[in-house]
Amino acid sequence: MVETALLLPPLLSAIILGSLYALMAMGLTLIYSTIRILNFAHGAFFMAGAYIVWWLNTPESATRLFGTMIPVSGLQLPLFVAVIPAVIIIFGAGVVTQKALILPLIRKPNTLITTLVATLALATILESVATVIFGGGRFSYAQELVVGNVRFGELIVTYVEIIQFAVAIGVLAALYLFLKKSRIGIGMRAVAQDLDAASLCGINTQTVYLLTFGIGAALAALAGFLLTNTIFLSPSVGATPLTIAFIVVVFGGIGSVPGTVIASYVVALVQQYVTLLLDPSWGLSFAFILMIAVLIIRPRGLFGFKET
Amino acid sequence: MLVLENVRSGYGQVEVLKGVSLEIKKGEYAAIIGANGHGKTTILRTASGLLRPSSGRVKFDGEDITGMPPYKVAEKGLIHIPEGARLFPQMTVQENLVAGAFAKSSWRNKAKNLARVYQLFPNIAERKNQLALTLSGGERQTVAIARGLMAENVKLLMIDEPSAGLAPILIDEVYEKIGEIRKTGVGVLVVEQSPKRIADCDCIYLIENGEVRMQGSAKEVLESKEVMQAYLGS
């Protein structure tokens, strides 16, 4: 039998991880509910965001490019500064992806499949590019984001974890207000709920698509930066977060914002307790099993609405 | 105000409109009637830019708007209220109205226009924080019309079957509202199935097989043998 004191740290980890999952999955949810496509490049944006931060931050004087050493930026930006251009660059990459890759495929036959394959291809290309530039090895940032921790009795929480949690929650809250109150946010929800009615309201649906994809990609990049403060960075680092994000999105009810948040915490809890009680390698599998069980009973997921 | 010149339009390979010409004058109250499946809705969808005509021209307020995307057409003041209201179901009544003010020029004045439409339709003001999916059919139709009026500078409101699926008493209410809108100088074009609702129109077009079968004053058209035939089946 596991002691009660041992049950608390996984709960704390689940709250922190769940917030990061929600941040990651929210990008997928926004893109699916508005543009009606599944973005398999979401994990690649996660990875690319983290690499850009690493590159802007690294003090190394040279890096490998196409097998030869070249000087790097030498900018040595602090991590919390480097994240800003990284998120903006990935936002731009998202806009370009929508314009160049997705737009030519939507409103044509088999959009869901063609865009799925196209984004999967993009993910593979970005991973290859990262491997060519940075090599296949594992990186971590040159410094810790912040050093130190706080203790609550037996529990130890690092400042990094507090920042991960606070930034994820802060950004999700800001996103909620953006969707609820801002002109573009209302436009995004309108497009998600009825495309034709939205365009008759004077909403430029193409612009809304571009911004939605940009915002979705930027959320992945931010999640990538936050999470890689505690895990190693490698070209395939986005694969697991992508898988988790898909579990979360389907489990919560595809396209549902509250469903995405709640499912993120449920998946993180399951993962953490399975890790504690069974074995770390089972965590993700149990999250999948739980998702499938829920889908058998409720195919729309926890909070999915009926298609109208 | 709105002119269609020999417009051909449809869906993919299926041509629905086979050369439709019509003209709605400024501030006019006009109606399009005809049996189902003859192209009434297609006329509105082509005018508002949801469909691109395969040939012919669409002009609005002296400007050629053929092939213009719907959001630009709406910004010009030509507002299309689609059949079945098509509200955003997961948004509140007020959010639906605010969405109708999306164009930048409308967004600036959205508070003023909200007050105006709530004054025009007090019954929906009471429901402003309710989700659209909880409304009754009549309320939905009213919100859809109000959402159209949230645009700045509305010149012509095209309403597709405002009476569809409504009880007769609610249809009377909707037409009463349309009367009030007309008093503000906005032109109205309705697509209607039942001839008796539109007896006070300035001008009526009878559509048959994707063509204008007849046009004229309400009296001329409604009392014609063509309308008798269209509705009673020759």
Side-chain angles (χ1 to χ4, degrees):
Chain A
M1 195 58 218
V2 186
E3 282 180 49
T4 330
L6 277 176
L7 290 174
L8 220 46
L11 177 65
L12 189 75
S13 308
I15 290 170
I16 294 160
L17 262 184
S19 310
L20 293 172
Y21 291 173
L23 190 65
M24 176 73 177
M26 196 58 74
L28 274 189
T29 293
L30 287 183
I31 290 172
Y32 177 77
S33 57
T34 307
I35 315 174
R36 301 274 149 184
I37 63 156
L38 293 170
N39 174 25
F40 271 77
H42 207 57
F45 290 133
F46 174 101
M47 176 273 295
Y51 268 106
I52 294 170
V53 175
W54 180 85
W55 192 69
L56 291 170
N57 169 259
T58 183
E60 286 176 37
S61 57
T63 192
R64 222 167 56 93
L65 184 62
F66 298 109
T68 51
M69 300 301 279
I70 56 142
V72 291
S73 68
L75 285 175
Q76 294 192 42
L77 296 176
L79 288 172
F80 60 88
V81 176
V83 66
I84 296 167
V87 167
I88 293 171
I89 290 168
I90 299 300
F91 171 88
V95 171
V96 171
T97 304
Q98 169 64 28
K99 183 97 189 162
L101 191 66
I102 307 300
L103 190 59
L105 297 173
I106 52 178
R107 292 195 158 193
K108 301 255 172 72
N110 304 318
T111 295
L112 200 59
I113 304 293
T114 54
T115 54
L116 185 152
V117 174
T119 55
L120 195 57
L122 176 65
T124 310
I125 292 165
L126 287 176
E127 244 182 72
S128 307
V129 169
T131 310
V132 168
I133 296 178
F134 298 103
R138 281 145 63 107
F139 288 78
S140 51
Y141 296 123
Q143 319 94 39
E144 284 205 53
L145 185 58
V146 278
V147 185
N149 56 58
V150 279
R151 272 173 174 278
F152 302 102
E154 297 286 301
L155 274 182
I156 299 171
V157 190
T158 66
Y159 286 150
V160 171
E161 287 174 318
I162 291 173
I163 287 183
Q164 286 177 328
F165 173 75
V167 172
I169 293 296
V171 168
L172 287 172
L175 184 69
Y176 176 80
L177 284 179
F178 170 79
L179 289 172
K180 199 79 187 157
K181 298 284 173 203
S182 76
R183 179 170 163 268
I184 300 296
I186 286 174
M188 281 168 64
R189 287 162 63 213
V191 168
Q193 292 177 30
D194 192 325
L195 184 64
D196 277 354
S199 58
L200 294 178
C201 282
I203 297 170
N204 182 347
T205 54
Q206 298 305 333
T207 307
V208 166
Y209 280 172
L210 291 179
L211 292 173
T212 303
F213 210 104
I215 292 168
L219 291 174
L222 182 63
F225 164 69
L226 291 173
L227 206 61
T228 48
N229 278 283
T230 42
I231 61 171
F232 284 110
L233 180 51
S234 71
S236 61
V237 72
T240 306
L242 176 72
T243 309
I244 292 171
F246 270 111
I247 297 177
V248 161
V249 165
V250 175
F251 179 35
I254 195 154
S256 161
V257 169
T260 301
V261 174
I262 290 166
S264 296
Y265 289 110
V266 173
V267 167
L269 273 172
V270 169
Q271 243 191 330
Q272 292 301 307
Y273 281 106
V274 168
T275 299
L276 175 76
L277 300 172
L278 282 176
D279 185 89
S281 47
W282 281 108
L284 204 54
S285 307
F286 267 77
F288 262 121
I289 292 167
L290 176 72
M291 176 194 83
I292 291 163
V294 167
L295 290 184
I296 289 170
I297 302 162
R298 212 181 137 77
R300 284 185 272 133
L302 291 179
F303 288 81
F305 356 99
K306 262 187 212 136
E307 292 284 328
T308 42
Chain B
M1 177 74 23
L2 176 67
V3 180
L4 268 66
E5 286 173 4
N6 211 10
V7 165
R8 290 175 175 271
S9 180
Y11 305 84
Q13 300 296 318
V14 184
E15 188 172 71
V16 180
L17 303 184
K18 296 158 184 150
V20 166
S21 298
L22 52 81
E23 182 177 0
I24 316 291
K25 295 195 181 69
K26 193 168 183 223
E28 202 172 44
Y29 180 29
I32 295 175
I33 60 169
N36 256 345
H38 285 250
K40 302 188 304 294
T41 295
T42 309
I43 293 176
L44 298 201
R45 290 178 65 90
T46 306
S48 64
L50 284 176
L51 290 175
R52 184 183 287 265
S54 50
S55 73
R57 319 257 20 122
V58 182
K59 289 175 185 163
F60 183 67
D61 207 10
E63 190 182 349
D64 192 331
I65 59 164
T66 317
M68 202 179 258
Y71 78 95
K72 278 195 184 154
V73 173
E75 279 176 19
K76 306 261 173 226
L78 176 57
I79 303 294
H80 174 185
I81 295 160
E83 188 182 349
R86 301 284 289 269
L87 300 183
F88 306 116
Q90 304 285 335
M91 290 196 203
T92 64
V93 166
Q94 179 142 328
E95 287 171 339
N96 265 278
L97 296 178
V98 167
F102 185 85
K104 277 194 182 120
S105 56
S106 314
W107 190 260
R108 273 197 296 276
N109 297 319
K110 67 177 190 300
K112 187 191 81 190
N113 285 335
L114 260 184
R116 186 172 55 98
V117 299
Y118 282 149
Q119 200 186 0
L120 195 57
F121 309 113
N123 56 326
I124 62 168
E126 294 162 22
R127 305 208 178 278
K128 65 179 180 186
N129 294 321
Q130 227 170 293
L131 284 185
L133 59 88
T134 66
L135 299 180
S136 70
E139 289 164 343
R140 258 178 236 187
Q141 192 60 54
T142 312
V143 174
I145 294 170
R147 185 175 66 183
L149 292 172
M150 285 296 292
E152 192 70 8
N153 192 25
V154 179
K155 290 173 186 149
L156 178 62
L157 213 50
M158 305 188 291
I159 314 176
D160 197 351
E161 301 222 17
S163 58
L166 297 187
I169 183 159
L170 291 173
I171 302 177
D172 292 344
E173 254 182 63
V174 167
Y175 272 93
E176 218 171 90
K177 296 297 179 195
I178 291 173
E180 285 174 43
I181 293 163
R182 282 173 48 221
K183 279 184 214 149
T184 64
V186 173
V188 175
L189 168 62
V190 290
V191 162
E192 193 44 88
Q193 291 260 44
S194 114
K196 70 169 194 188
R197 296 285 167 193
I198 45 173
D200 57 341
C201 278
D202 302 317
C203 176
I204 296 179
Y205 291 85
L206 171 67
I207 304 298
E208 209 175 278
N209 293 319
E211 287 169 350
V212 178
R213 176 76 196 280
M214 193 191 177
Q215 68 182 84
S217 70
K219 198 170 153 57
E220 280 167 9
V221 174
L222 293 178
E223 289 172 6
S224 67
K225 67 176 196 307
E226 284 86 349
V227 166
M228 297 297 175
Q229 278 175 359
Y231 282 90
L232 301 174
S234 56

